[in-house]
Amino acid sequence: MSNRNLVRVLALVLVLCTGIMMMSACQKTPAPEETPAATDAPATEPTDTPAEEGKDVPLVAGYSPFSEKFSPFYADTAYDQDVVSMIMVSPLTTDRQGGIIYNAIEGETVNYNGTDYTYNGIANIDVVQNADGTTTYTMKLRDDVKFSDGEPLTADDLIFTYYVLCDPAYVGSTTLSSYGILGVKDYMTQTTSEVYEKYAAEFDAIVGGDASDAEKSAWVASKLDELWKADVQGIVDYVMANYLGDYADTIGKTAEEIAADVNLQNAFAMAMWGFGSVGDDGVLTGGTTGATWDLATAAPTFDELFAEISAKYEGSAAAYIAAGESAVGADVVADAKSAYISEYGTKDESMAGAGVPNIKGIVKVDDYTVSVTTQGYEAPAIYSICGISVAPLHYYGDVAQYDYENNQFGHPFGDLSMVEAKTTQPLGAGPYKFVKYENKVVYFEANENYWQGAPAIKTVQFKEGDDKDKIPGVGTGTLDLADPSFSNEAVEEIKGYNSNGDLVGDKIIVNTVDNLGYGYIGINADTVNVGGDPDSDASKNLRRALATIMCAYREVAIDSYYGERASVINYPISNTSWAAPQKTDPDYKVAFSVGVDGSDLYTADMTSEQKQEAAVAAAIEYLKAAGYTFDEATGKFTAAPEGAKLEYELLIPADGKGDHPSFMVATYLKQACETFGMNIIVNDLSDSTILWDKVDAGTQEIWCAAWGATIDPDMYQVYHSSGIVGRGGSDSNHYHIDDPELDALILEGRASDDQAYRKTVYKAALDKIIDWAVEIPVYQRQNCIIFSGERIVTDTILPDITTFYVWMNGVDTMEMVK
């Protein structure tokens, strides 16, 4: 394997799942507050009862690894988002079924499972579809909400939050700009739509070879060169940060020697990223130019490293980006285009040098009221527009730079450095305040200024650890609650701790709900294709071959891992969603169950073994159709078509020991492919934390993971082409699907408030995703939350926990045994 491939094996970034983990590429709706109408009012602040040598008993929750992005703007993993949910509040309140509470200030009572619950929140929400085709969302905030430092929460904080999310420098996962807020594109580009299109076309023409304007051509060439070199420096920085300790000997040097010599750092990057190789004689040879450097006496300068990379891509930054070379997922050309429009578009005569001072559709109505107006109507918009966490202007921004009337919004336009600086130190108005993250533990203290009263539990800890330690932790008292993977082994382990041998007992109390998300296996269309064309029939047939085999082994794998606590799914959507196709639907289809000629592979009377044999045979035919060379005599493929390979990497975060729901699928895929001459490298990852950067770079091939979903089944962030890495969108389209028809379906599904119609549209979109063969839906599992029956006052645990309403919605009224 080449050094470059070695890097990609080690550094590919996944949306990870250890049986319980969710991607937070999808925005998580912040937790609303509620009071059960059938019980007493919210618990008041308890008296300070001494315990454990005079200290309050902390609630200790077991968690999987954090990414330390504890920011309402930048949190992207489910676990980082949970930290944010403890600290922040949102204008949007939802009930146990995901329904919206429009009058949360006064409170609304909704029945669930025979019990009436009253839900309260910090804002009332009004939605009006206007006669001109626009939609206005008005949020009226309570006037008594304070942040944990005592400062009041007002409309100015909400305005500031919106302007951060709509700033061109914002690179988080929230995609407010996709909902057509009036004037947001004009503000982000500082040009009118007409001017933007004019200069975008100019840039494209210059990149395409139009040199009629020498000055502008020179400007574009210089900017591309500047940004491309910066991105190459990013590769150097990345390999130095991630591989120096273990792989310095790749170029025959020590880590200390490389760290002390900038040219050796260039050599290290060239070798590790596959742009050159070092022979036994210690000579580094460029892979394209053939230039050599005897590392005993000399190493490439940065300009020589750049020249080698530029030569490989014939001077094309676009080709470099398309090949996924960027270590940070940047798009040099897109960034250069934005810079060009800002440089020349803002100087256009029609702009009169004024720019665009504000976002027309975001209006401060009064000190506690904000309205947001969008073009048209999109059903999921309310969850994103009103579901944001309100960030304090005085903490994340600069009050001196905020003057709403004079179009100043708390930070310099295009510069969010002050916001980014607080990523690891959040502050909000939620039930708890962040204290510190130390030794893999997040520490919280009760927010004495919380609008519903200070929580009963004074201190909370989110303690990072392995999944295997969660059940023993609760069973022995080192943890008070956790979310272990609910496997067959986990069930027996829980029963072993309880004296009654059941799942609800004296030591551990189990609560299960269907997971708002699902497990999948992904295939990157940009790295697994034929001839560099991800959308071709040949490319799809290559991916269908792999997908067909994997699908045939899902039942046995998931039954072995979860038993009755999970089921196989056939569409890339959670079964908890109203949009999920049902087996009773006339056009329901088992995923990847047809051959290359479109005929069904399986019959009802087939055994599992017969289905698996049929799947392998079908995969061989798919690969032949993809252009692979097959030797009938040996029954093996001997050559791959241009752009494709006989070897691919599958990454699975299984703790280095196969502990993952899809590990059996991966193992069987490898074994099946070996029978016909293809090699699948199954990389069982024990440390998932180093993987996140590479998913942003879009260089993974095959990977096992899970998606977390939102209440509304909006597909924009994950499947719209704007979400492909480097295109300036969500960067959550890890499959790299670029399909105009799919884009149109996604937007069409958003635009209607007719749920039956939307379900039809989304079914067509799901079929299109399956056609691309980039996502193999694997399982829908149950979530398991376990509570200590000894340390938590059990009747204070949130009743009727649901998929849409989790334990943290009642954390402020939970109590510990003193």
Side-chain angles (χ1 to χ4, degrees):
M1 188 189 309
S2 70
N3 287 322
R4 173 104 181 276
N5 285 335
L6 176 61
V7 170
R8 292 192 170 189
V9 170
L10 294 171
L12 289 183
V13 183
L14 312 178
V15 181
L16 298 169
C17 169
T18 58
I20 49 90
M21 192 170 199
M22 298 187 301
M23 173 72 189
S24 230
C26 298
Q27 182 180 352
K28 180 179 176 182
T29 303
E33 317 302 335
E34 61 85 30
T35 305
T39 62
D40 294 333
T44 57
E45 183 177 354
T47 58
D48 291 328
T49 303
E52 296 186 1
E53 301 182 357
K55 295 182 180 180
D56 289 300
V57 179
L59 172 71
V60 183
Y63 264 79
S64 293
F66 298 103
S67 297
E68 209 174 350
K69 292 182 180 179
F70 305 138
S71 166
F73 301 108
Y74 299 110
D76 52 16
T77 72
Y79 301 114
D80 285 2
Q81 289 173 340
D82 279 356
V83 172
V84 171
S85 293
M86 291 282 283
I87 298 164
M88 298 290 172
V89 293
S90 166
L92 182 70
T93 301
T94 56
D95 63 22
R96 282 169 168 77
Q97 294 177 297
I100 295 170
I101 304 299
Y102 289 94
N103 300 295
I105 293 178
E106 299 81 9
E108 292 183 8
T109 299
V110 181
N111 187 277
Y112 178 79
N113 202 24
T115 301
D116 287 334
Y117 292 99
T118 298
Y119 301 85
N120 295 94
I122 71 163
N124 288 346
I125 296 174
D126 183 50
V127 182
V128 176
Q129 294 188 46
N130 304 307
D132 62 357
T134 61
T135 303
T136 300
Y137 303 84
T138 301
M139 290 153 281
K140 175 69 175 178
L141 300 168
R142 294 176 64 103
D143 61 7
D144 59 352
V145 180
K146 294 181 179 180
F147 292 105
S148 61
D149 61 357
E151 291 293 318
L153 186 156
T154 70
D156 290 327
D157 299 293
L158 189 51
I159 290 288
F160 163 74
T161 303
Y162 280 126
Y163 271 87
V164 170
L165 295 172
C166 294
D167 193 273
Y170 176 69
V171 292
S173 61
T174 302
T175 55
L176 281 183
S177 59
S178 72
Y179 286 103
I181 297 174
L182 297 183
V184 71
K185 182 178 178 181
D186 294 351
Y187 176 77
M188 292 179 71
T189 62
Q190 287 298 292
T191 61
T192 63
S193 297
E194 293 78 9
V195 170
Y196 179 92
E197 296 300 332
K198 172 184 175 181
Y199 287 94
E202 271 191 13
F203 177 88
D204 291 340
I206 293 170
V207 171
D210 181 358
S212 57
D213 189 318
E215 176 192 341
K216 290 181 177 179
S217 295
W219 191 97
V220 169
S222 176
K223 180 59 67 174
L224 283 171
D225 186 68
E226 171 195 335
L227 295 175
W228 193 357
K229 285 182 176 178
D231 197 73
V232 170
Q233 183 60 52
I235 294 176
V236 178
D237 295 341
Y238 185 88
V239 297
M240 287 295 294
N242 292 280
Y243 304 114
L244 183 61
D246 294 328
Y247 298 100
D249 60 356
T250 299
I251 63 170
K253 299 293 181 179
T254 67
E256 292 76 14
E257 288 173 327
I258 297 173
D261 188 326
V262 292
N263 288 345
L264 283 178
Q265 293 171 25
N266 298 328
F268 187 47
M270 186 183 293
M272 292 300 290
W273 224 247
F275 295 118
S277 59
V278 179
D280 294 338
D281 57 0
V283 174
L284 171 65
T285 303
T288 301
T289 66
T292 59
W293 297 267
D294 185 344
L295 297 182
T297 58
T301 64
F302 178 81
D303 286 342
E304 289 171 333
L305 167 64
F306 181 73
E308 186 65 41
I309 296 173
S310 180
K312 178 175 180 178
Y313 291 104
E314 300 179 345
S316 171
Y320 163 89
I321 291 299
E325 298 291 7
S326 175
V328 294
D331 188 333
V332 170
V333 179
D335 291 345
K337 177 185 281 190
S338 296
Y340 181 84
I341 295 169
S342 295
E343 175 71 18
Y344 290 101
T346 55
K347 299 174 183 176
D348 190 271
E349 291 182 0
S350 65
M351 297 301 301
V356 180
N358 57 47
I359 301 171
K360 178 181 178 182
I362 298 178
V363 177
K364 177 183 174 182
V365 179
D366 59 40
D367 287 347
Y368 292 95
T369 308
V370 173
S371 70
V372 178
T373 300
T374 65
Q375 184 62 53
Y377 173 83
E378 295 180 288
I382 189 171
Y383 294 100
S384 292
I385 291 173
C386 302
I388 63 172
S389 296
V390 183
L393 160 65
H394 70 276
Y395 180 74
Y396 286 97
D398 181 0
V399 175
Q401 297 186 54
Y402 183 88
D403 183 344
Y404 178 80
E405 297 299 330
N406 289 297
N407 299 311
Q408 294 180 303
F409 303 107
H411 63 87
F413 176 83
D415 181 0
L416 296 180
S417 56
M418 68 177 71
V419 178
E420 294 166 355
K422 303 293 177 63
T423 295
T424 62
Q425 298 290 323
L427 187 145
Y432 284 87
K433 55 186 178 181
F434 178 88
V435 178
K436 62 181 177 180
Y437 174 64
E438 183 176 270
N439 297 323
K440 298 186 176 182
V441 179
V442 181
Y443 293 87
F444 304 91
E445 289 180 356
N447 176 10
E448 300 298 322
N449 293 305
Y450 184 49
W451 69 278
Q452 290 208 106
I457 300 172
K458 295 301 182 184
T459 58
V460 175
Q461 299 173 16
F462 284 3
K463 189 174 183 180
E464 194 173 304
D466 294 333
D467 188 70
K468 62 181 175 59
D469 297 326
K470 291 179 178 178
I471 295 172
V474 176
T476 60
T478 59
L479 298 175
D480 301 312
L481 66 88
D483 60 344
S485 178
F486 204 32
S487 63
N488 291 338
E489 291 77 9
V491 169
E492 296 306 314
E493 188 176 5
I494 291 169
K495 290 179 178 179
Y497 279 104
N498 287 329
S499 59
N500 63 359
D502 205 345
L503 290 175
V504 177
D506 54 336
K507 295 278 189 181
I508 299 176
I509 297 170
V510 175
N511 188 293
T512 61
V513 296
D514 284 336
N515 179 48
L516 185 59
Y518 62 94
Y520 73 94
I521 299 174
I523 305 177
N524 185 346
D526 273 352
T527 57
V528 183
N529 64 59
V530 176
D533 183 3
D535 190 23
S536 69
D537 288 339
S539 294
K540 290 178 180 178
N541 284 333
L542 162 57
R543 298 192 295 266
R544 287 167 185 153
L546 302 173
T548 300
I549 295 174
M550 287 188 276
C551 278
Y553 288 99
R554 294 176 303 166
E555 290 281 359
V556 63
I558 299 310
D559 183 65
S560 173
Y561 193 89
Y562 282 120
E564 297 177 352
R565 286 158 295 281
S567 58
V568 168
I569 58 174
N570 288 303
Y571 291 89
I573 187 171
S574 171
N575 279 346
T576 61
S577 173
W578 53 261
Q582 302 299 310
K583 291 183 179 179
T584 54
D585 295 343
D587 56 351
Y588 185 90
K589 194 79 174 176
V590 173
F592 302 103
S593 61
V594 299
V596 70
D597 61 355
S599 61
D600 290 335
L601 295 177
Y602 313 125
T603 61
D605 59 349
M606 277 185 170
T607 65
S608 294
E609 291 78 9
Q610 289 172 329
K611 290 181 179 179
Q612 291 156 10
E613 291 173 0
V616 172
I620 291 172
E621 296 306 314
Y622 272 123
L623 290 171
K624 289 179 181 178
Y628 279 74
T629 303
F630 189 69
D631 185 343
E632 298 289 347
T634 62
K636 294 181 183 293
F637 290 99
T638 59
E642 181 183 356
K645 301 189 297 183
L646 284 169
E647 179 177 281
Y648 288 100
E649 300 163 347
L650 185 152
L651 291 99
I652 182 166
D655 292 335
K657 59 182 182 181
D659 186 12
H660 189 284
S662 293
F663 189 78
M664 187 179 291
V665 175
T667 301
Y668 281 130
L669 173 66
K670 178 178 179 64
Q671 293 174 357
C673 287
E674 285 175 348
T675 65
F676 52 73
M678 180 175 277
N679 183 32
I680 302 298
I681 301 169
V682 177
N683 193 350
D684 184 348
L685 303 163
S686 58
D687 182 3
S688 63
T689 58
I690 66 171
L691 303 176
W692 294 102
D693 290 339
K694 273 293 184 177
V695 79
D696 293 333
T699 54
Q700 76 278 18
E701 292 178 340
I702 310 170
W703 73 104
C704 300
W707 279 119
T710 52
I711 295 173
D712 189 275
D714 183 30
M715 299 180 178
Y716 189 89
Q717 285 181 301
V718 177
Y719 301 108
H720 194 275
S721 62
S722 66
I724 293 175
V725 171
R727 295 195 179 181
S730 68
D731 282 354
S732 295
N733 183 346
H734 306 313
Y735 314 106
H736 291 238
I737 300 178
D738 190 351
D739 191 312
E741 292 182 10
L742 177 60
D743 287 350
L745 288 168
I746 291 170
L747 296 177
E748 185 179 349
R750 276 182 157 196
S752 174
D753 60 0
D754 183 335
Q755 191 173 99
Y757 174 73
R758 293 184 72 206
K759 183 172 182 176
T760 300
V761 173
Y762 282 144
K763 173 58 167 60
L766 293 169
D767 287 340
K768 179 68 69 173
I769 295 164
I770 291 291
D771 178 67
W772 268 73
V774 291
E775 182 177 0
I776 297 89
V778 181
Y779 61 89
Q780 170 77 57
R781 63 175 173 81
Q782 288 184 318
N783 278 338
C784 166
I785 303 293
I786 59 175
F787 299 89
S788 170
E790 295 181 321
R791 288 169 54 84
I792 298 175
V793 179
T794 56
D795 61 4
T796 67
I797 296 172
L798 182 73
D800 281 328
I801 293 173
T802 72
T803 301
F804 305 104
Y805 212 72
V806 299
W807 70 270
M808 280 189 296
N809 290 81
V811 67
D812 58 315
T813 57
M814 286 178 65
E815 298 178 14
M816 301 298 292
V817 175
K818 300 282 183 137

